[in-house]
Amino acid sequence: MNISFNWLKDYLSFDLNADEVAAALTSIGLETGSVDEVQAVKGGLEGLLVGEVLTCEAHPNSDHLHLTTVDVGHGEPLRIVCGAPNVAAGQKVIVATVGTTLYNGDNEIKIKRSKIRGEESLGMICAEDEIGLGTDHAGIIVLPPEVKTGTTAREYYRIESDYILEVDITPNRVDATSHFGVARDLAAYLQQAGKPCELKKPPVVDSSAFNPLPSTFISVEVKDAEACLRYSGVTIRGVKVGESPDWMKKRLTSIGLRPINNIVDITNYVLHELGQPLHAFDAAKIKGNRVIVETKPEGTRFVTLDGVERTLTSHDLMICNAEDAMCIGGVFGGLDSGVTEQTTDVFLESACFNPTWIRKTARRFGLNTDASFRFERGLDPNQTVYVLKRAARLILELAGGSITGDIQDVYPSPLEPFEVYLPFDKVNSLIGKNIPVATVKNILASLEIEIVAETQEGLDLRVPVYRYDVRRDVDVIEDILRIYGYNNIELSDHVNSTLSYRNQTDRSYRLENIISEQLVGAGFNEILNNSLTRQTYYEGLTTYPAAKCVMLMNPLSADLNAMRQTLLFGGLQSVAFNINHKNRNIRFFEFGNCYALNRDNRKEGAPLAEYGEDYRLGLWVAGKRVENNWAHADENSSIFELKAYVNNILARLGVNIEKLVTGDFSTDIFAAGQRIVSPSGRTLGTYGIVNNSILKKTDIDCEVYFAELSWSALIKETNREQTTFREIARFPEVKRDLALLLDKATSFDDVKRTALESERKLLKDVVLFDVYEGGSLLTGKKSYAVSFFLQDRERTLEDRQIEAIMSKIQKNLEDKLGAKLR
């Protein structure tokens, strides 16, 4: 928000410069990003002096030029060639000396020592347009004779530079979205710092200006008191719409606003002066002399000031006359109800609307105006009449007219100041320093917080309604601290700490760091995506149905209108971004929460848990596993590489992979994949090849392998496992190989499980080392070359014992899987 330094001084007298004000505001929580000088006249009239023409003669080599000598108050008189027809001896004029830069629009002219038609010229006698003070070029500027020679033009014309402070307003500080609001906060700082200052409130119209004529004023009716907390209005007739005075135009242009006409400019001026949005209606267009605040039926069409036709909902508050809607309340005006050059009567609105209603309407229509910015943060309904009187005073001064009737004010449920109890011990505890009670009371008084009662333990307070964000004792303490000064809180010379580091560290977080380090060591990069996503990703899916999306009530955009049900889509966006930037070999992982509605999953008789939240780990692999390596041929990534990463994670967490149940499946997410299930039936995660239909949603043209593990479920599973230690076996391991002919549908997991079930004690591992298909094999068949590892920890295995075990394994493979030896 732009704050004018000169404008600020209209309400607060102080002796700080602009940079000091910026530092003061930053120290009290109104962070000021920059301070920029704004010159009323480009160049600030630097180098221009008042001179007296001593002599004026015709130029010997020209019929229209003159040779003059000009006294500029110091040094020798200057010889200047001048072409103005009105130049004459004895005049007081504006002189640009050598070295001065003049500005004419975007053009710059630097005055140099020169010869004009053979005569030396040491400056320039200026016209209005040449120094940026007007458009007249008929002749030079002639000043009154009493003006002192040598006076700077800047001093004579009282040219004053302004400074614009760019103040970043946090969402809770709507009270500081105006010049007076900032001045009020700055006054509290100056009082605490012991610096002299005086806060002056803008004057308002006198009560004698009101002329109660009940037959000619416009009445107000509020039909929706929830959406409109207060509505105040006044009718002013006989105004003359025209150009605003220079002082007001300078104020508005200094903060980046374009002057329009005096009535509209006054509403903008008061908005930035006091922070209360106003709206001026052409009274002649208010049919029935009635203003009605209500909602319109769903689907009603309305054309706004920008010429766009918008479709209203039943939750859009409208300002209407007896027949039609005129304005979207608190957001945007209508096309046909505003003030024009033909307007003679105006109805001035000052209202306070429900922040939630305004925020939803503004987001729904994609409108962000100065008015909606303030309304949706919560304004003070107790100031609407005061602001209305302030605007009415300016209209009477600048546009004439007279007030007809009393102020129309509908305020069904007046808001009282917020009552807060402030204990002294809590103030000192939270701030970390014992602040004297007298200092606390002085700061509260400077913040206009009323002390109702005082005891030895604390204070009973009444906080003004305009401090919408101060409702609790901690809020008051925060305000006390920012005015007292964060830098005035001394740092302690000792630190309290505990050395029992591990006992206080959350186990899940510690394991998360371990797995993160493992993945980074395997070449992965960690990513962090927004929990908000677009609902359209889930449309048509059964694995993650769109109906289970947790939707936002006030989304910033359609791309961020739902909470994610899976980490998949955020990761795919990251994959697509990297591929588009020529990084095609992807290894990503992410930890994050996923959300879903649980309505369809609740158990019979259990209370309804509306929302579900699960912490998950996602892995994405794409591109080549090996590329441009002299010792290894290029190799594409595969689902088996991803499976290895998943198994390594499970092993590192201490999960017994042998006890897990895996099953092949395909869904609308995976073209082919596996589900990992614990012995108790809990799903630990899934991994597989992402479906092409999913990849198209993010414009990815290569295969992507994705795994999603439920971290919450994995942590529970690790709690079931106990790590045991035993000595290395003293007796050798025996390996036997079999070449098995199997149906293509039979997986290695089936082979491994069958073998382990056949010999639970001595069979230690089963490894697949070759797969062969085609060639001489029958259609629908494949060949697995499998190694079986046997070991007895108590003694050396004998051949007879080994053969018996292998025969048993072979028989079970034949009986259960239809396997044959090759």
Side-chain angles (χ1 to χ4, degrees):
M1 175 181 168
N2 290 334
I3 295 294
S4 162
F5 179 73
N6 291 342
W7 194 346
L8 198 64
K9 292 194 289 186
D10 288 348
Y11 317 112
L12 185 65
S13 58
F14 53 85
D15 57 2
L16 305 180
N17 61 38
D19 289 324
E20 290 171 333
V21 169
L25 293 177
T26 299
S27 73
I28 59 175
L30 301 178
E31 185 178 354
T32 304
S34 63
V35 179
D36 299 317
E37 184 178 2
V38 176
Q39 296 174 328
V41 177
K42 192 172 183 180
L45 303 186
E46 291 292 334
L48 299 175
L49 301 171
V50 174
E52 181 179 1
V53 181
L54 302 179
T55 63
C56 180
E57 302 173 353
H59 193 292
N61 301 319
S62 172
D63 58 358
H64 67 279
L65 297 177
H66 298 85
L67 295 178
T68 66
T69 55
V70 183
D71 179 12
V72 293
H74 62 277
E76 295 292 326
L78 303 177
R79 287 176 55 83
I80 298 176
V81 176
C82 179
N86 63 330
V87 65
Q91 292 175 335
K92 295 291 180 69
V93 295
I94 298 294
V95 179
T97 57
V98 172
T100 299
T101 300
L102 301 180
Y103 298 89
N104 184 7
D106 295 330
N107 298 321
E108 297 182 5
I109 302 173
K110 190 164 185 178
I111 304 302
K112 301 178 181 178
R113 185 171 188 157
S114 59
K115 281 191 175 184
I116 300 176
R117 296 285 182 96
E119 297 292 334
E120 187 176 45
S121 183
L122 301 177
M124 175 178 175
I125 304 176
C126 302
E128 278 186 4
D129 65 329
E130 291 168 333
I131 62 174
L133 291 179
T135 58
D136 187 7
H137 194 69
I140 60 171
I141 301 170
V142 179
L143 304 178
E146 63 270 16
V147 180
K148 183 179 177 181
T149 300
T151 302
T152 64
R154 183 186 184 90
E155 179 183 355
Y156 174 75
Y157 285 108
R158 297 179 181 177
I159 298 298
E160 185 181 28
S161 289
D162 196 1
Y163 295 89
I164 299 303
L165 286 69
E166 186 182 352
V167 180
D168 295 329
I169 304 295
T170 53
N172 64 310
R173 291 304 308 277
V174 68
D175 63 293
T177 56
S178 66
H179 283 76
F180 184 77
V182 171
R184 183 169 51 202
D185 241 29
L186 182 60
Y189 164 83
L190 293 173
Q191 290 173 31
Q192 171 59 24
K195 298 181 180 181
C197 66
E198 181 185 356
L199 185 64
K200 296 171 288 187
K201 225 176 175 185
V204 299
V205 69
D206 190 80
S207 58
S208 61
F210 292 90
N211 180 23
L213 297 175
S215 61
T216 57
F217 70 84
I218 293 171
S219 64
V220 172
E221 178 184 1
V222 176
K223 291 187 176 181
D224 196 324
E226 178 195 350
C228 181
L229 308 181
R230 187 177 189 180
Y231 194 96
S232 308
V234 68
T235 306
I236 305 176
R237 299 192 182 276
V239 301
K240 183 175 181 179
V241 178
E243 190 175 356
S244 296
D246 287 342
W247 68 265
M248 179 171 283
K249 290 193 289 185
K250 286 179 181 177
R251 287 283 187 260
L252 295 177
T253 54
S254 70
I255 60 172
L257 296 181
R258 179 176 63 87
I260 298 173
N261 60 54
N262 51 3
I263 302 297
V264 175
D265 291 349
I266 286 169
T267 63
N268 286 330
Y269 179 85
V270 174
L271 167 66
H272 289 275
E273 178 183 53
L274 296 170
Q276 170 67 45
L278 299 170
H279 193 80
F281 295 93
D282 188 333
K285 298 176 182 178
I286 301 179
K287 299 174 184 177
N289 278 346
R290 293 174 61 207
V291 168
I292 304 169
V293 184
E294 62 180 353
T295 57
K296 287 293 188 181
E298 190 88 21
T300 301
R301 301 281 186 174
F302 179 71
V303 180
T304 46
L305 192 59
D306 55 1
V308 176
E309 184 180 70
R310 306 180 189 274
T311 302
L312 304 177
T313 73
S314 58
H315 290 86
D316 296 320
L317 188 67
M318 304 299 294
I319 313 301
C320 310
N321 55 41
E323 299 178 13
D324 307 310
M326 300 187 294
C327 170
I328 303 177
V331 179
F332 211 36
L335 186 63
D336 299 321
S337 62
V339 172
T340 65
E341 292 181 358
Q342 289 73 42
T343 298
T344 57
D345 304 327
V346 298
F347 176 78
L348 199 59
E349 166 197 284
S350 177
C352 183
F353 301 112
N354 187 309
T356 302
W357 281 65
I358 300 302
R359 184 167 56 251
K360 288 181 178 179
T361 296
R363 297 294 179 274
R364 192 154 40 237
F365 293 125
L367 296 171
N368 184 20
T369 61
D370 283 340
S372 67
F373 174 82
R374 289 163 174 80
F375 278 127
E376 64 189 39
R377 282 160 174 77
L379 290 178
D380 177 11
N382 292 337
Q383 74 165 351
T384 59
V385 171
Y386 167 75
V387 175
L388 197 63
K389 289 181 177 180
R390 171 61 176 161
R393 176 188 175 109
L394 291 172
I395 289 177
L396 296 182
E397 289 178 355
L398 305 182
S402 60
I403 298 175
T404 303
D406 290 326
I407 289 177
Q408 301 297 296
D409 186 27
V410 181
Y411 194 10
S413 303
L415 287 185
E416 296 295 328
F418 312 122
E419 295 183 355
V420 177
Y421 176 69
L422 182 69
F424 294 133
D425 60 347
K426 192 168 186 178
V427 173
N428 298 329
S429 172
L430 288 184
I431 290 179
K433 179 179 180 179
N434 289 333
I435 299 179
V437 173
T439 302
V440 171
K441 291 165 66 176
N442 287 337
I443 292 175
L444 292 175
S446 69
L447 292 170
E448 300 182 355
I449 297 176
E450 179 187 357
I451 300 174
V452 179
E454 178 180 355
T455 65
Q456 288 187 343
E457 289 75 28
L459 301 171
D460 287 315
L461 307 175
R462 283 164 59 88
V463 180
V465 177
Y466 68 76
R467 286 310 306 273
Y468 206 75
D469 61 318
V470 181
R471 305 288 188 95
R472 307 166 298 166
D473 53 3
V474 290
D475 301 326
V476 177
I477 293 170
E478 181 185 359
D479 258 17
I480 292 171
L481 177 56
R482 69 183 183 85
I483 300 301
Y484 182 78
Y486 294 99
N487 293 333
N488 293 326
I489 307 300
E490 298 83 3
L491 293 177
S492 174
D493 58 0
H494 67 278
V495 177
N496 295 325
S497 181
T498 176
L499 299 180
S500 56
Y501 161 74
R502 176 156 294 183
N503 291 338
Q504 295 187 11
T505 303
D506 177 69
R507 179 170 178 268
S508 173
Y509 180 71
R510 184 162 50 86
L511 291 175
E512 183 180 325
N513 282 335
I514 290 172
I515 296 304
S516 296
E517 291 174 0
Q518 175 176 314
L519 289 170
V520 169
F524 278 75
N525 289 297
E526 185 171 10
I527 59 175
L528 183 63
N529 287 297
N530 199 332
S531 296
L532 304 180
T533 185
R534 63 179 72 168
Q535 187 196 24
T536 53
Y537 280 145
Y538 300 93
E539 290 178 356
L541 299 182
T542 56
T543 306
Y544 300 108
K548 292 224 174 168
C549 284
V550 179
M551 303 300 297
L552 269 67
M553 297 179 66
N554 301 303
L556 295 175
S557 69
D559 289 340
L560 300 170
N561 63 351
M563 305 292 284
R564 64 188 177 192
Q565 293 190 57
T566 172
L567 300 175
L568 172 63
F569 295 107
L572 290 181
Q573 287 178 324
S574 299
V575 170
F577 179 85
N578 277 267
I579 289 175
N580 291 337
H581 287 77
K582 308 304 180 184
N583 178 26
R584 301 187 66 86
N585 301 329
I586 306 296
R587 304 290 182 278
F588 287 155
F589 76 95
E590 179 181 11
F591 286 94
N593 284 313
C594 295
Y595 313 84
L597 291 173
N598 283 341
R599 290 193 185 97
D600 299 336
N601 297 334
R602 65 189 183 103
K603 296 178 181 178
E604 190 67 30
L608 177 62
E610 194 70 23
Y611 303 105
E613 181 176 336
D614 187 29
Y615 196 59
R616 297 181 186 171
L617 166 61
L619 306 178
W620 294 262
V621 174
K624 292 186 180 296
R625 178 172 174 268
V626 180
E627 186 178 36
N628 296 332
N629 191 313
W630 67 271
H632 196 296
D634 286 3
E635 180 182 341
N636 290 327
S637 296
S638 68
I639 187 63
F640 303 106
E641 179 188 349
L642 178 64
K643 180 180 179 180
Y645 293 134
V646 171
N647 285 343
N648 287 340
I649 291 171
L650 297 175
R652 188 67 182 84
L653 291 174
V655 176
N656 190 335
I657 301 174
E658 305 299 334
K659 294 181 180 179
L660 299 179
V661 179
T662 59
D664 295 340
F665 72 100
S666 60
T667 64
D668 43 17
I669 297 295
F670 293 120
Q674 280 202 327
R675 183 178 286 107
I676 308 169
V677 182
S678 70
S680 62
R682 179 188 293 119
T683 297
L684 302 181
T686 56
Y687 64 89
I689 306 170
V690 180
N691 237 320
N692 284 334
S693 60
I694 300 296
L695 297 178
K696 287 179 181 178
K697 294 186 177 184
T698 49
D699 297 325
I700 296 175
D701 59 359
C702 65
E703 279 199 341
V704 176
Y705 310 102
F706 172 65
E708 189 167 49
L709 306 177
S710 172
W711 190 254
S712 309
L714 281 174
I715 295 302
K716 292 177 182 177
E717 195 63 28
T718 61
N719 292 334
R720 297 173 177 269
E721 299 291 340
Q722 292 185 348
T723 303
T724 58
F725 300 89
R726 59 186 177 183
E727 64 176 324
I728 298 174
R730 290 176 296 169
F731 299 97
E733 185 179 69
V734 176
K735 185 182 82 164
R736 292 291 186 268
D737 296 336
L738 293 180
L740 302 172
L741 186 65
L742 300 156
D743 292 335
K744 276 192 176 182
T746 304
S747 68
F748 173 67
D749 276 345
D750 296 331
V751 173
K752 185 174 183 179
R753 185 170 54 253
T754 302
L756 291 172
E757 288 173 353
S758 302
E759 176 54 51
R760 300 180 184 276
K761 181 180 178 182
L762 301 180
L763 182 60
K764 302 304 180 183
D765 199 7
V766 181
V767 176
L768 175 68
F769 66 87
D770 188 39
V771 179
Y772 175 73
E773 295 182 23
S776 60
L777 297 183
L778 297 175
T779 304
K781 296 291 184 179
K782 63 183 175 182
S783 173
Y784 276 173
V786 184
S787 294
F788 300 86
F789 295 88
L790 306 169
Q791 187 178 47
D792 191 333
R793 301 184 66 83
E794 305 297 330
R795 61 180 182 271
T796 301
L797 288 173
E798 298 178 354
D799 289 343
R800 178 176 51 81
Q801 191 177 9
I802 295 171
E803 293 304 323
I805 293 172
M806 291 305 300
S807 296
K808 183 179 179 182
I809 291 174
Q810 181 180 337
K811 185 175 188 309
N812 284 337
L813 290 173
E814 292 173 350
D815 293 344
K816 295 181 179 181
L817 303 180
K820 294 182 180 179
L821 289 181
R822 290 189 63 197

